[in-house]
Amino acid sequence: SSSPTPVSGTNSSQPREILTLTDDEERTVFAVWMTGSILSLIGSIFIIATILYLKRLSIRASRLVFMLNIAATLESISALLAWNTFEKELVNPNLCVFQGFLTQFSQMALFSWTTVISVDLFLYVVKNVSVTRTHEYFFHIYGWGIPLLFTILPLFTDAYGPAGVWCWIRADDDAEYWRWLAFYIPLYVQVIAVIVLYSMVVHAVRSRLDADTSRSSQDKKRASRLMLRLRAYPLIVLALYVFPTINRIYDAASSDDSMFLWFMHALTSSLLGFCSAIAYGFDTPIRSQLSAKLYGFGICTGCTSPLGDDEVDYYSDSDSGAANFDDGNVELA
């Protein structure tokens, strides 16, 4: 695709990157991007509101999920800023830079907090480490500090600007390398790390259950669901960023733009926050608590009643780990 013409002067307007897509195709890509971003925003805000309403911030696992959804909310807001740049021949360079900066930071934060959650599971389940508040401080340094570092670096070369239908790191030769150094390479390094960590957690769960012949069939079914969910988490990020990666490679190597790749890029990358909210937010205890609240208010008569004595909520301990194998509960935090 064509790169935008550089414009000198801090107050000058900057042309939006010219794609070889037709106007209708660009509008379709933009509509898909906006729809996915709105869904992600709704999903993330719902999870944040649910955690606050159920007063679960005293629980470490919920705090991590809360931070993940803060990042997802920021990512959706950055996407919605594209309303001010699309359909305009010229864009406000300062607004475009801000959108690109926020997009870079929020998406990197999403990946970082996904990694943090996998590390938390690994420490507790595999290493039997009692995760403390001190560990959480390092989680925050990694979850927010690493994204901030990789977001600030492209600023030194004024790399943020028009990047297709929205604003991000520019596509010209003076900036495009930052897409790989500050985004895609760190992304896939973290994806590989998450896959390895989750694989070790799944192996630990299976080994403990195989070694304990006293487990009931219900416990083993719970463990099977746990392992399926553990396998799914890293695949979410990997699957959602297959097409954006392919599209950016194609964009760099070809003078033409692919409508199919741009469509899939907009669809999958905009749903990252929504899918993360579904994957991490709707765990069994949260669903049970919401169901009990609705049941108590008489809003949802078909909902289940509150947890019974035989259904242990492993979140009852504010500093409990991600999973408890001692009381028969093997659900995921």
Side-chain angles (χ1 to χ4, degrees):
S1 61
S2 302
S3 300
T5 303
V7 178
S8 60
T10 57
N11 295 321
S12 300
S13 294
Q14 188 175 354
R16 184 162 61 83
E17 181 181 352
I18 300 172
L19 304 179
T20 59
L21 304 178
T22 66
D23 289 344
D24 287 341
E25 287 175 336
E26 283 198 28
R27 289 189 180 92
T28 299
V29 170
F30 183 75
V32 169
W33 170 261
M34 286 292 102
T35 301
S37 298
I38 291 171
L39 287 174
S40 288
L41 182 62
I42 293 172
S44 300
I45 290 177
F46 177 77
I47 295 302
I48 290 171
T50 299
I51 291 175
L52 292 174
Y53 175 67
L54 297 178
K55 300 178 180 179
R56 301 181 69 89
L57 282 179
S58 60
I59 302 158
R60 190 185 71 256
S62 291
R63 289 196 295 271
L64 300 183
V65 172
F66 186 85
M67 295 303 161
L68 179 79
N69 281 277
I70 290 292
T73 300
L74 292 175
E75 195 274 336
S76 298
I77 291 173
S78 72
L80 294 177
L81 289 175
W83 281 112
N84 292 305
T85 58
F86 190 74
E87 297 281 12
K88 293 182 180 180
E89 190 172 315
L90 297 176
V91 298
N92 183 316
N94 294 326
L95 179 61
C96 190
V97 168
F98 177 74
Q99 185 200 354
F101 183 94
L102 187 59
T103 298
Q104 169 72 4
F105 174 75
S106 57
Q107 290 194 356
M108 286 299 297
L110 265 172
F111 308 143
S112 295
W113 281 104
T114 300
T115 304
V116 164
I117 291 173
S118 67
V119 170
D120 180 71
L121 271 170
F122 171 78
L123 290 175
Y124 189 82
V125 176
V126 179
K127 295 298 184 180
N128 293 316
V129 172
S130 179
V131 180
T132 65
R133 290 281 186 173
T134 301
H135 290 94
E136 283 195 59
Y137 296 146
F138 287 103
F139 288 168
H140 281 278
I141 291 173
Y142 184 86
W144 301 118
I146 296 299
L148 185 61
L149 173 64
F150 283 113
T151 302
I152 290 175
L153 288 175
L155 283 175
F156 288 105
T157 58
D158 298 320
Y160 293 110
V165 181
W166 46 81
C167 295
W168 182 45
I169 297 174
R170 298 195 319 271
D172 56 80
D173 294 338
D174 294 332
E176 191 170 21
Y177 63 90
W178 281 117
R179 294 181 175 183
W180 302 99
L181 292 179
F183 188 79
Y184 286 111
I185 291 176
L187 162 64
Y188 284 106
V189 167
Q190 291 183 97
V191 168
I192 292 171
V194 169
I195 290 175
V196 171
L197 291 171
Y198 273 127
S199 297
M200 297 176 72
V201 171
V202 169
H203 177 73
V205 173
R206 181 180 289 124
S207 297
R208 294 188 189 188
L209 288 173
D210 290 344
D212 189 351
T213 57
S214 64
R215 295 287 180 184
S216 66
S217 59
Q218 184 179 11
D219 286 341
K220 291 182 178 180
K221 287 181 181 179
R222 288 178 177 174
S224 297
R225 291 197 300 269
L226 167 65
M227 287 185 284
L228 285 174
R229 291 169 68 186
L230 288 176
R231 291 190 184 103
Y233 292 154
L235 292 178
I236 289 174
V237 176
L238 187 61
L240 292 180
Y241 266 85
V242 167
F243 283 107
T245 305
I246 294 174
N247 186 39
R248 292 305 184 183
I249 294 174
Y250 183 86
D251 184 56
S254 174
S255 59
D256 295 322
D257 291 290
S258 167
M259 170 58 182
F260 172 74
L261 289 179
W262 269 106
F263 180 89
M264 294 304 297
H265 182 157
L267 176 65
T268 56
S269 62
S270 65
L271 288 174
L272 183 60
F274 178 77
C275 292
S276 296
I278 295 297
Y280 288 108
F282 290 96
D283 58 89
T284 299
I286 287 181
R287 290 201 310 269
S288 297
Q289 279 190 270
L290 279 177
S291 181
K293 289 282 187 182
L294 293 174
Y295 182 86
F297 291 144
I299 297 175
C300 180
T301 56
C303 294
T304 60
S305 59
L307 291 170
D309 293 336
D310 58 335
E311 298 179 80
V312 180
D313 183 355
Y314 54 89
Y315 281 123
S316 57
D317 181 358
S318 61
D319 287 321
S320 66
N324 189 329
F325 297 92
D326 296 328
D327 57 9
N329 193 320
V330 288
E331 293 289 351
L332 178 69

